[in-house]
Amino acid sequence: MDNYEKIAEKVVVNKIRSSWLELYKMYNDQANSRGVTLSMAFVLLTINETFGTPVTKIAPRMSMEPNSLSRILKSLEKKGAIYKKRDKNDKRKVFICLTDHGIALRDVASKRLFSFENAIKTKLSESDLAVFFKVINIIPSVVDELRNTD
Protein backbone atom coordinates (compact mmCIF):
# COMPACT_ATOMS: atom_id res chain seq x y z
CA MET A 1 0.00 0.00 0.00
CA ASP A 2 1.40 3.39 -0.88
CA ASN A 3 1.43 6.41 1.41
CA TYR A 4 -0.27 8.85 -0.95
CA GLU A 5 -3.32 9.46 1.26
CA LYS A 6 -1.20 10.00 4.38
CA ILE A 7 1.08 12.43 2.58
CA ALA A 8 -1.66 14.23 0.62
CA GLU A 9 -3.71 14.74 3.79
CA LYS A 10 -0.92 16.95 5.15
CA VAL A 11 -0.08 18.89 1.97
CA VAL A 12 -1.57 22.39 2.01
CA VAL A 13 -1.85 22.65 -1.77
CA ASN A 14 -3.69 19.33 -1.95
CA LYS A 15 -6.23 20.49 0.67
CA ILE A 16 -6.79 23.77 -1.18
CA ARG A 17 -7.17 21.93 -4.48
CA SER A 18 -9.59 19.30 -3.19
CA SER A 19 -11.66 21.93 -1.34
CA TRP A 20 -11.79 24.12 -4.44
CA LEU A 21 -12.88 21.15 -6.58
CA GLU A 22 -15.73 20.39 -4.15
CA LEU A 23 -16.81 24.03 -4.17
CA TYR A 24 -16.51 24.20 -7.93
CA LYS A 25 -18.64 21.09 -8.45
CA MET A 26 -21.32 22.27 -6.03
CA TYR A 27 -21.58 25.80 -7.44
CA ASN A 28 -21.22 24.74 -11.06
CA ASP A 29 -24.03 22.18 -10.70
CA GLN A 30 -26.24 24.90 -9.24
CA ALA A 31 -25.27 27.37 -11.97
CA ASN A 32 -25.79 24.79 -14.72
CA SER A 33 -29.34 24.23 -13.51
CA ARG A 34 -29.93 27.89 -14.44
CA GLY A 35 -28.16 27.65 -17.80
CA VAL A 36 -24.93 29.38 -16.77
CA THR A 37 -21.51 28.42 -15.42
CA LEU A 38 -19.82 29.21 -12.15
CA SER A 39 -17.56 31.72 -13.90
CA MET A 40 -20.59 33.46 -15.39
CA ALA A 41 -22.22 33.64 -11.96
CA PHE A 42 -19.10 35.24 -10.47
CA VAL A 43 -18.98 37.78 -13.31
CA LEU A 44 -22.61 38.69 -12.64
CA LEU A 45 -21.74 39.24 -8.97
CA THR A 46 -19.07 41.81 -9.91
CA ILE A 47 -21.45 43.99 -11.94
CA ASN A 48 -23.11 46.95 -10.26
CA GLU A 49 -26.84 46.35 -10.49
CA THR A 50 -27.76 50.03 -10.82
CA PHE A 51 -25.03 51.65 -12.90
CA GLY A 52 -23.23 48.76 -14.55
CA THR A 53 -19.48 48.27 -14.28
CA PRO A 54 -16.72 49.39 -16.65
CA VAL A 55 -15.57 46.34 -18.58
CA THR A 56 -11.96 47.17 -17.65
CA LYS A 57 -12.70 46.67 -13.93
CA ILE A 58 -14.30 43.24 -14.10
CA ALA A 59 -11.24 41.08 -14.94
CA PRO A 60 -9.02 42.60 -12.21
CA ARG A 61 -11.80 42.17 -9.62
CA MET A 62 -11.86 38.48 -10.42
CA SER A 63 -8.10 37.98 -10.91
CA MET A 64 -8.96 36.86 -14.42
CA GLU A 65 -7.32 37.25 -17.80
CA PRO A 66 -9.16 39.66 -20.14
CA ASN A 67 -9.37 37.01 -22.91
CA SER A 68 -11.24 34.62 -20.62
CA LEU A 69 -13.54 37.41 -19.54
CA SER A 70 -14.35 38.30 -23.15
CA ARG A 71 -15.64 34.78 -23.82
CA ILE A 72 -17.76 34.83 -20.67
CA LEU A 73 -19.21 38.26 -21.50
CA LYS A 74 -20.12 37.10 -25.02
CA SER A 75 -21.90 34.07 -23.56
CA LEU A 76 -23.75 36.18 -20.98
CA GLU A 77 -24.79 38.60 -23.70
CA LYS A 78 -26.11 35.73 -25.86
CA LYS A 79 -28.09 34.44 -22.87
CA GLY A 80 -29.66 37.88 -22.41
CA ALA A 81 -28.12 38.43 -18.97
CA ILE A 82 -26.05 41.53 -19.82
CA TYR A 83 -25.76 44.31 -22.36
CA LYS A 84 -23.03 46.81 -23.19
CA LYS A 85 -23.50 50.55 -22.83
CA ARG A 86 -21.05 53.24 -23.95
CA ASP A 87 -20.31 56.17 -21.66
CA LYS A 88 -22.05 59.32 -22.87
CA ASN A 89 -19.00 61.52 -22.25
CA ASP A 90 -16.21 59.13 -23.22
CA LYS A 91 -17.20 56.80 -26.06
CA ARG A 92 -14.12 54.64 -25.42
CA LYS A 93 -15.50 53.59 -22.03
CA VAL A 94 -17.86 50.59 -22.09
CA PHE A 95 -20.07 49.57 -19.18
CA ILE A 96 -21.44 46.08 -18.70
CA CYS A 97 -25.01 46.28 -17.42
CA LEU A 98 -27.40 43.65 -16.13
CA THR A 99 -30.71 42.91 -17.82
CA ASP A 100 -33.69 41.84 -15.71
CA HIS A 101 -32.70 38.24 -16.45
CA GLY A 102 -29.13 39.01 -15.37
CA ILE A 103 -30.35 40.58 -12.13
CA ALA A 104 -32.43 37.46 -11.41
CA LEU A 105 -29.42 35.20 -12.07
CA ARG A 106 -27.21 37.46 -9.95
CA ASP A 107 -29.72 37.31 -7.08
CA VAL A 108 -29.71 33.50 -7.16
CA ALA A 109 -25.90 33.44 -7.26
CA SER A 110 -25.71 35.88 -4.36
CA LYS A 111 -28.13 33.86 -2.23
CA ARG A 112 -26.24 30.63 -2.91
CA LEU A 113 -22.88 32.24 -2.19
CA PHE A 114 -23.96 33.78 1.10
CA SER A 115 -25.89 30.74 2.27
CA PHE A 116 -22.69 28.70 1.88
CA GLU A 117 -20.67 31.48 3.52
CA ASN A 118 -23.04 31.50 6.49
CA ALA A 119 -22.98 27.71 6.74
CA ILE A 120 -19.18 27.79 6.98
CA LYS A 121 -19.26 30.54 9.59
CA THR A 122 -21.64 28.52 11.79
CA LYS A 123 -18.98 25.78 11.93
CA LEU A 124 -16.04 28.03 12.79
CA SER A 125 -15.20 30.38 15.62
CA GLU A 126 -14.04 33.95 15.02
CA SER A 127 -10.49 32.93 15.89
CA ASP A 128 -10.64 29.96 13.47
CA LEU A 129 -11.77 32.33 10.71
CA ALA A 130 -8.99 34.78 11.57
CA VAL A 131 -6.39 32.00 11.28
CA PHE A 132 -7.91 30.81 8.00
CA PHE A 133 -7.71 34.30 6.49
CA LYS A 134 -4.18 34.77 7.81
CA VAL A 135 -3.07 31.56 6.06
CA ILE A 136 -5.01 32.07 2.83
CA ASN A 137 -3.80 35.67 2.50
CA ILE A 138 -0.16 34.54 2.67
CA ILE A 139 -0.51 32.32 -0.39
CA PRO A 140 -0.30 35.07 -3.08
CA SER A 141 2.96 36.39 -1.65
CA VAL A 142 4.43 32.88 -1.49
CA VAL A 143 3.39 32.33 -5.12
CA ASP A 144 5.07 35.61 -6.11
CA GLU A 145 8.26 34.65 -4.27
CA LEU A 146 8.37 31.26 -5.98
CA ARG A 147 7.72 32.79 -9.39
CA ASN A 148 10.65 35.13 -8.90
CA THR A 149 13.05 32.31 -7.99
CA ASP A 150 12.51 30.30 -11.18
Side-chain angles (χ1 to χ4, degrees):
M1 181 169 155
D2 68 37
N3 291 327
Y4 177 80
E5 280 90 14
K6 278 185 189 176
I7 295 167
E9 190 64 27
K10 295 178 181 158
V11 175
V12 173
V13 172
N14 188 60
K15 296 307 268 182
I16 292 169
R17 181 184 167 278
S18 61
S19 293
W20 171 245
L21 286 173
E22 288 299 316
L23 283 168
Y24 182 83
K25 283 189 253 178
M26 177 187 73
Y27 279 131
N28 213 40
D29 287 347
Q30 291 174 358
N32 284 334
S33 73
R34 304 265 186 214
V36 296
T37 65
L38 175 61
S39 296
M40 289 176 183
F42 274 116
V43 168
L44 292 171
L45 289 168
T46 67
I47 299 170
N48 183 290
E49 189 174 314
T50 307
F51 306 107
T53 299
V55 72
T56 55
K57 290 197 178 204
I58 297 172
R61 286 181 178 180
M62 297 183 60
S63 301
M64 179 181 248
E65 292 297 319
N67 290 345
S68 299
L69 177 63
S70 292
R71 286 190 298 274
I72 293 169
L73 292 175
K74 283 179 187 174
S75 294
L76 285 169
E77 198 168 19
K78 280 183 186 174
K79 291 179 180 298
I82 63 166
Y83 64 95
K84 295 175 183 171
K85 178 178 76 175
R86 293 213 178 268
D87 186 282
K88 291 176 184 163
N89 299 323
D90 183 350
K91 299 295 181 196
R92 296 169 298 172
K93 202 174 203 181
V94 176
F95 285 83
I96 302 299
C97 301
L98 298 170
T99 63
D100 288 342
H101 178 58
I103 291 169
L105 289 172
R106 183 178 186 267
D107 289 346
V108 169
S110 180
K111 285 177 188 161
R112 301 282 169 119
L113 174 72
F114 287 108
S115 73
F116 185 71
E117 179 83 6
N118 291 333
I120 290 172
K121 288 180 176 178
T122 64
K123 306 268 187 209
L124 297 172
S125 68
E126 290 288 326
S127 62
D128 288 340
L129 277 171
V131 169
F132 168 78
F133 280 111
K134 180 179 180 182
V135 170
I136 207 76
N137 288 332
I138 288 170
I139 292 172
S141 63
V142 172
V143 169
D144 282 344
E145 288 172 19
L146 289 174
R147 275 189 185 136
N148 293 329
T149 60
D150 287 343

